[in-house]
Amino acid sequence: MNEHPKPPPVQGLDIDQALHRGLTESRSSRRGFLKASAGVVGLAPLLAACGVAGTAASGKQNKQFDWTAWWHRQKPTNQLVFANWPYYIDTTASGKNHPSLELFTKQTGINVNYKEVIQNNAPFYAQIAPVLQAGQSTGYDIIVITNGWQLTQLLENGWIVPLWTEKLPNFQKYASPSVKSPSYDPNSKYSVVWQSGFTGIGYNPKLTGREITSINDLWDPKFKGHVGMMSDNTELGSVALLKLGIDPATSTPADWDKAANILNQQRPNVRQYYDQSYITALQDGDTWISQAWSGDIYQANLKGYKDLKFVIPEQGVMYWHDNMMIPLHAPNPLSALEWMNFYYTPKVAGMVADWVNYISPVPAAQQYIADVIKDPTVANSPLVFPTQSEYSKAHDYYTFKNYNDYTHWNNTFNPIIQS
Amino acid sequence: MTETVLQPGTSIDAPPLVRRQRRKLSGYVLPVFVWLVIAWTIVPIVFMIIFSFNQAPTGRLAFNWFGLTGTWYRNVFAIGGLTQALEHSLAIATLSSIISVVLGTPMALALARYRFYGKAMTDMVIFADIAAPSVVVGAALLGFFLTLNVPRGLATILIAHVAFSVVFVVVVVRARVSGLDRSLDRAAADLGANPWIAFWKVLFPLILPGIVAGGLLAFAMSIDDLIITSFVAGQAVTFPLWVYGAVKTGIPPQVFVMGTMIFVAGVVLAIVNSLVSRRSPA
Amino acid sequence: MRRAAVPYVLNLPSWIFLAVFFVIPLASVLALSVATGNPEVGYQYTGHVHEFVSAISTYQTQLIRSFWYGIASTVITLAISYPVAYWIAFYGGRNKSTYLFLMLLPFFVSFIIRTLAWEFILADQGLVLGHLKSWGMLPQSFHILSTSWAVIWGLTYNSLPYYVLPLYVAIERIDRRVVRAANDLYADTRRTFLRVILPLSAPGIFAGFLLVFVTNVGDYVNQQVLGGTGTYMIGSVIQDSFFTNQDYPMASALSSVLMLLLLVAIYLYARTFGTDTIQEYS
């Protein structure tokens, strides 16, 4: 037995050596590395034989399918799996229930499994695309996607079930004309709008010192370092196009280059390119003027930030829609149609709009909210029920024709945000 | 005040001996610094606790102060989806840390103490696992599960979490194991202990802090993971998934309440643990 | 015979798990970096490496910037974590594990909560800056958010547990008798630290470096929330490439490049610090 055992540093030395030898001593590390690379290289001929299938093929296939017959074959069920963005449906004060869904269950006997699983369009698409491509069910009957490349892709790839329009009389009756046949889904063949919104300008008049009326104000050097822009390149590019007086929906790549130019000129003024957290910066006063969504400003006002204002600039606003759609292999498609039809009534749309505070696709809901729910703040708000003058300034986004088109837009505008 | 410095044959856990005469200024700098750091880490928590009591006229969390209310505590489990998401997250984090520790500790031992074929390769894989961007790992796992027709849900989330946590456990435990006195092993063997007993009675207690630390890290990583989880979750929802999505329209105050509850539960656990260890004979 | 098999037995469960749920999926995704195509027409593995060249040339600014943020945040985290780990290990006494747990507890609370809190607290006219400005200690135009330093702050804050834990487990196992022996040999506190404690804790420093540096270089969330123009990191680029651009070959190429560069950095670290430590004792 030793009185004074050997000090551990020697062992520590061994271990350090062992670890570092693996990395530093050329022989073993090179050997290990070579072995690893040999494995990868060996796979190469195997991989070359394979490839990853594209989606275009399935798109063509599905478009030739006889959907009318398919719809007639469907049997009613008493379930509905509804995937939506979090906090995007009416909720009771305690947060427990969704009155509109409960009313639906009472009237139709269909149980709703409401899942708030959509955080953003691109990640959600990335989740469901491989599933749909493999011909499997996503498990959802209704998904809510914003108009944009992912929605276009879903349609192009034939992964969305065309709606059985005979079963949607309420849509025909109550839907606002501005959502009846959007540019990204002519004749509303595949989708009906859930909520919409404007992307305009939000600002704090106390900090800007004056009223804001024009997109040019986002370029005003007086606001240097306090301008917020969106990191979504579709929003960013579109607002620049509007500033140049170009309608984004009909713009060309040459226009996009011009827009990118002026955005680059704006860069020194911009504090940050924000995702949805732009509203925090506005609320805190870090930004004085920012690209903003109408619903956020409305919410901010209710939360006590009464100084913040939303303005529709003279050049126009962008008008976006979150759309309900039925993905392929949905387990309960008829239930989905039932809900869509149920939603497009003044009562139900009113219940939802009163809570969500974005633009409702059912104008008659305004009356319902004023008379029955008795909520004049919402009923009279142009941010929830825009008037004709507001709609006249609304512009649609550019609808991408194919992947190359989309890539071109990205390559034009991404460097502004990413550099 | 001085203390005798030489005490032969004391155990490794003997209290540290510091020359008391030096304890003037430098003796206080260190503890003050540490407490400042701990205070720094707690700043956001304090914020969270305060605002969990804030009234929220719109039902969404506001950073303006509206007044005290206990409503959110009374109704903390009101939002069914959120509560279920929290349950899922806690369960998965617990299981993930246990499995990661069970898988990772033996590997850490092997890496630290033995030479074997494939050691450099293992090092590379561990390194790659830490370095690989979550986006890529998440997409890779989704593709993998789809190819094998594995339904995605809580089980796949658990697998994914273990896949990235286990290497963190390996790294931490290995840092602990390396440098442990080999002669202790030999002493145990000399005294007739077979390898199994030698491990449990001698080695295991010594590396236990490393194992616990690794487990805690794995837990923290799992409970907060967003990207990889979003790929392999299928229809299941975890707490971070729910909360991140809600940021668009505004998060409910219950989120802060749940965070507070987790934190307070942890503090209580820590206090209980220290009381219990004080009672038990050293 | 049986003794030689020990490391293989220890490794086997983790090997299998990692091989199936990490190596194979990751390899198949990274293989896309030598593929050409797009989501519509599919991908063919053509073996072209132009994607790598394009990746490096287009995004070199972001790569360099990410490494800079990684180094800065890692060094600062180490500087903060070391005293904390040291104090808890040497002076923590019976409550060691409690302090450690308390140190880690804030990180069990969701990342989004912590970050929202910092956004609020660090706002231009918020709790901290607002008061400093009204006392005239800072110019009105000063801001922390939307700068590189805010990103590094966020990275450092969120890395603390990943450095404190490995450091703690490595420092805690240092035999106190060695420290005492150094004292016996007339070493003062500073020399004891530099020549005994610091080198003995090297495995912990390395382990923490691995966990912190590697994860921070690839991080993107801190930058997205706290950063401004000109702070974009490579992690965000990979995220964008994958989700927004759906440019999987580019995302895979960038990931491979990132992992390769990190490997080089670790190698350089081991060369510089590893061998020096060893030389101290030869």
Side-chain angles (χ1 to χ4, degrees):
Chain A
M1 268 319 244
N2 298 339
E3 263 291 290
H4 302 284
K6 281 201 280 290
V10 178
Q11 266 69 26
L13 181 64
D14 271 346
I15 307 313
D16 281 325
Q17 269 185 345
L19 174 63
H20 296 135
R21 203 183 295 136
L23 290 167
T24 59
E25 232 223 42
S26 34
R27 223 172 0 131
S28 26
S29 86
R30 220 181 273 156
R31 199 185 284 158
F33 185 72
L34 280 177
K35 277 205 197 130
S37 2
V40 173
V41 167
L43 280 171
L46 187 66
L47 290 175
C50 328
V52 177
T55 54
S58 60
K60 291 205 194 70
Q61 215 177 20
N62 290 337
K63 284 203 175 47
Q64 286 148 5
F65 189 72
D66 184 355
W67 285 106
T68 324
W70 181 86
W71 273 115
H72 279 109
R73 282 201 298 272
Q74 297 311 305
K75 302 266 181 293
T77 59
N78 58 3
Q79 287 289 343
L80 174 68
V81 184
F82 186 170
N84 204 347
W85 303 60
Y87 247 27
Y88 215 18
I89 197 169
D90 58 326
T91 315
T92 51
S94 63
K96 219 190 259 281
N97 317 84
H98 306 297
S100 58
L101 294 176
E102 284 171 359
L103 194 62
F104 178 68
T105 307
K106 213 163 71 158
Q107 281 195 357
T108 61
I110 300 176
N111 284 322
V112 182
N113 190 353
Y114 188 70
K115 296 197 157 282
E116 293 164 315
V117 289
I118 307 181
Q119 293 84 40
N120 214 330
N121 294 298
F124 187 69
Y125 177 83
Q127 278 176 54
I128 61 175
V131 178
L132 290 166
Q133 188 165 10
Q136 296 178 17
S137 167
T138 57
Y140 304 120
D141 300 308
I142 299 182
I143 58 178
V144 177
I145 307 284
T146 322
N147 60 294
W149 171 240
Q150 286 77 28
L151 188 145
T152 310
Q153 258 190 317
L154 286 170
L155 297 184
E156 258 185 19
N157 297 338
W159 288 340
I160 303 294
V161 175
L163 301 171
W164 190 2
T165 38
E166 276 105 63
K167 288 277 190 173
L168 299 174
N170 286 340
F171 178 73
Q172 298 305 324
K173 187 167 167 196
Y174 289 111
S176 151
S178 61
V179 306
K180 273 224 177 112
S181 181
S183 52
Y184 52 86
D185 181 17
N187 298 320
S188 292
K189 200 160 155 224
Y190 295 95
S191 64
V192 292
V193 170
W194 170 251
Q195 295 283 308
S196 316
F198 285 148
T199 308
I201 299 182
Y203 68 101
N204 188 335
K206 288 209 178 117
L207 294 174
T208 57
R210 61 183 172 86
E211 293 301 313
I212 302 293
T213 53
S214 157
I215 295 183
N216 296 331
D217 291 323
L218 286 169
W219 267 253
D220 191 337
K222 278 207 215 74
F223 304 139
K224 183 174 173 140
H226 295 280
V227 175
M229 299 294 282
M230 290 196 172
S231 60
D232 180 330
N233 67 18
T234 328
E235 300 275 24
L236 191 65
S238 301
V239 76
L241 287 169
L242 284 178
K243 179 178 192 295
L244 292 171
I246 303 171
D247 180 24
T250 53
S251 56
T252 66
D255 296 327
W256 304 346
D257 287 330
K258 287 192 215 133
N261 265 335
I262 61 169
L263 283 170
N264 269 320
Q265 287 165 17
Q266 188 206 28
R267 260 196 111 214
N269 283 358
V270 177
R271 180 178 162 120
Q272 193 173 337
Y273 294 98
Y274 293 95
D275 55 10
Q276 48 258 46
S277 60
Y278 73 86
I279 190 69
T280 319
L282 267 179
Q283 285 167 191
D284 289 342
D286 293 347
T287 49
W288 301 344
I289 180 174
S290 174
Q291 274 189 292
W293 290 329
S294 47
D296 281 347
I297 302 293
Y298 186 88
Q299 280 290 320
N301 290 142
L302 288 183
K303 277 197 227 173
Y305 294 100
K306 301 207 186 303
D307 292 331
L308 294 181
K309 287 166 95 160
F310 181 81
V311 70
I312 295 181
E314 55 198 29
Q315 294 95 337
V317 272
M318 299 311 298
Y319 189 26
W320 51 262
H321 309 279
D322 282 338
N323 306 275
M324 291 191 277
M325 304 190 291
I326 306 177
L328 219 51
H329 310 300
N332 310 290
L334 285 174
S335 307
L337 283 182
E338 282 257 24
W339 166 258
M340 289 178 184
N341 196 44
F342 183 77
Y343 174 68
Y344 268 86
T345 52
K347 178 172 181 187
V348 183
M351 286 165 80
V352 175
D354 191 50
W355 201 91
V356 174
N357 303 146
Y358 270 93
I359 298 177
S360 179
V362 177
Q366 185 175 25
Q367 209 54 42
Y368 180 83
I369 295 176
D371 298 339
V372 183
I373 303 183
K374 297 208 183 3
D375 188 352
T377 334
V378 174
N380 297 330
S381 169
L383 296 179
V384 184
F385 294 103
T387 62
Q388 193 46 41
S389 71
E390 273 114 24
Y391 277 123
S392 64
K393 293 231 182 79
H395 292 260
D396 284 332
Y397 292 87
Y398 179 80
T399 307
F400 299 105
K401 301 188 200 47
N402 54 46
Y403 183 74
N404 289 331
D405 202 24
Y406 179 60
T407 307
H408 196 135
W409 176 282
N410 282 336
N411 290 338
T412 315
F413 292 109
N414 274 347
I416 299 163
I417 306 168
Q418 287 180 344
S419 55
Chain B
M1 192 167 67
T2 54
E3 282 190 24
T4 46
V5 176
L6 273 176
Q7 282 170 41
T10 45
S11 71
I12 293 175
D13 279 334
L17 295 171
V18 177
R19 294 236 175 90
R20 293 283 170 170
Q21 55 259 44
R22 282 275 172 119
R23 205 162 174 6
K24 300 267 167 56
L25 183 68
S26 47
Y28 288 111
V29 170
L30 193 55
V32 165
F33 181 80
V34 172
W35 285 105
L36 277 177
V37 171
I38 294 187
W40 183 46
T41 56
I42 293 187
V43 163
I45 306 298
V46 170
F47 171 82
M48 169 184 75
I49 297 178
I50 292 178
F51 279 92
S52 68
F53 289 104
N54 189 14
Q55 284 171 19
T58 62
R60 297 160 171 89
L61 198 62
F63 295 150
N64 266 345
W65 186 252
F66 279 105
L68 274 176
T69 174
T71 318
W72 311 117
Y73 282 88
R74 281 195 292 279
N75 290 308
V76 63
F77 298 120
I79 304 178
L82 179 60
T83 309
Q84 199 188 43
L86 182 65
E87 285 167 13
H88 288 163
S89 283
L90 287 172
I92 291 177
T94 314
L95 280 175
S96 156
S97 51
I98 294 175
I99 299 177
S100 300
V101 159
V102 166
L103 284 178
T105 308
M107 182 178 249
L109 279 172
L111 283 170
R113 299 188 136 208
Y114 296 90
R115 285 179 213 182
F116 50 90
Y117 291 114
K119 189 164 183 178
M121 180 75 134
T122 310
D123 271 327
M124 294 262 279
V125 169
I126 291 174
F127 169 79
D129 198 334
I130 301 175
S134 320
V135 182
V136 173
V137 174
L141 279 172
L142 177 62
F144 182 73
F145 289 137
L146 279 174
T147 317
L148 295 183
N149 247 322
V150 175
R152 285 145 322 278
L154 294 176
T156 47
I157 299 179
L158 181 62
I159 293 175
H161 283 202
V162 172
F164 68 70
S165 301
V166 66
V167 288
F168 278 72
V169 171
V170 168
V171 169
V172 171
V173 175
R174 187 180 182 178
R176 175 76 177 183
V177 173
S178 62
L180 277 183
D181 195 344
R182 288 291 188 109
S183 59
L184 290 170
D185 283 7
R186 267 172 248 145
D190 286 349
L191 291 170
N194 64 48
W196 186 246
I197 293 184
F199 172 72
W200 282 108
K201 293 271 179 185
V202 178
L203 193 56
F204 184 76
L206 287 176
I207 62 175
L208 189 60
I211 294 179
V212 170
L216 287 176
L217 259 188
F219 187 89
M221 290 184 66
S222 165
I223 208 163
D224 236 351
D225 182 64
L226 179 70
I227 291 292
I228 297 184
T229 312
S230 71
F231 273 103
V232 299
Q235 284 193 30
V237 188
T238 62
F239 190 71
L241 279 182
W242 199 100
V243 175
Y244 273 67
V247 170
K248 180 183 181 188
T249 39
I251 53 177
Q254 278 89 343
V255 170
F256 270 31
V257 172
M258 286 178 176
T260 308
M261 284 165 62
I262 293 178
F263 183 75
V264 168
V267 171
V268 167
L269 226 108
I271 294 178
V272 165
N273 179 52
S274 75
L275 284 177
V276 162
S277 59
R278 205 167 291 172
R279 291 255 179 84
S280 61
Chain C
M1 250 294 268
R2 250 190 8 182
R3 283 210 63 208
V6 168
Y8 298 99
V9 170
L10 287 175
N11 275 323
L12 204 58
S14 301
W15 270 346
I16 296 177
F17 190 90
L18 285 174
V20 172
F21 295 113
F22 174 70
V23 178
I24 295 178
L26 187 70
S28 62
V29 169
L30 291 183
L32 276 175
S33 50
V34 294
T36 341
N38 65 43
E40 286 166 351
V41 303
Y43 297 93
Q44 276 302 314
Y45 294 107
T46 50
H48 292 158
V49 294
H50 69 85
E51 205 64 46
F52 287 99
V53 176
S54 159
I56 300 179
S57 64
T58 321
Y59 297 112
Q60 48 181 334
T61 322
Q62 288 85 352
L63 277 168
I64 296 173
R65 187 186 288 152
S66 302
F67 272 81
W68 155 235
Y69 289 170
I71 289 277
S73 62
T74 307
V75 167
I76 299 176
T77 310
L78 175 60
I80 298 176
S81 305
Y82 201 101
V84 176
Y86 177 82
W87 187 82
I88 297 180
F90 272 59
Y91 296 84
R94 277 216 194 81
N95 293 322
K96 270 190 249 189
S97 46
T98 313
Y99 291 141
L100 198 64
F101 185 67
L102 284 176
M103 181 73 215
L104 203 57
L105 200 49
F107 300 93
F108 289 170
V109 168
S110 170
F111 172 86
I112 193 78
I113 298 180
R114 303 198 297 268
T115 316
L116 277 175
W118 283 124
E119 257 193 285
F120 178 78
I121 295 167
L122 293 177
D124 289 5
Q125 300 295 333
L127 291 174
V128 173
L129 293 185
H131 287 117
L132 288 176
K133 284 180 188 174
S134 60
W135 296 332
M137 288 172 63
L138 286 174
Q140 281 301 318
S141 59
F142 182 79
H143 62 103
I144 295 182
L145 290 179
S146 311
T147 63
S148 320
W149 289 106
V151 180
I152 297 177
W153 170 294
L155 285 170
T156 307
Y157 178 82
N158 288 300
S159 306
L160 274 177
Y162 298 90
Y163 226 137
V164 169
L165 275 180
L167 276 178
Y168 168 80
V169 298
I171 295 175
E172 200 262 351
R173 65 126 179 99
I174 294 178
D175 196 339
R176 303 290 182 272
R177 290 168 293 182
V178 176
V179 181
R180 230 171 296 149
N183 288 338
D184 287 352
L185 294 168
Y186 302 105
D188 61 11
T189 331
R190 189 174 141 272
R191 289 193 95 206
T192 313
F193 179 77
L194 283 176
R195 300 201 118 236
V196 177
I197 297 177
L198 193 60
L200 285 179
S201 59
I205 299 179
F206 182 74
F209 180 81
L210 203 58
L211 298 182
V212 172
F213 177 70
V214 170
T215 16
N216 282 358
V217 171
D219 184 76
Y220 60 89
V221 202
N222 282 290
Q223 178 274 325
Q224 269 179 3
V225 183
L226 303 169
T229 54
T231 60
Y232 220 69
M233 290 173 78
I234 197 70
S236 306
V237 176
I238 295 178
Q239 176 97 337
D240 281 348
S241 288
F242 193 90
F243 285 124
T244 315
N245 299 358
Q246 291 169 349
D247 190 352
Y248 303 125
M250 174 60 87
S252 301
L254 280 170
S255 304
S256 310
V257 166
L258 176 66
M259 287 163 67
L260 201 70
L261 287 174
L262 285 170
L263 186 64
V264 168
I266 301 282
Y267 179 90
L268 287 174
Y269 174 101
R271 267 256 182 250
T272 334
F273 296 105
T275 42
D276 276 352
T277 323
I278 296 170
Q279 250 129 31
E280 290 273 283
Y281 289 92
S282 3

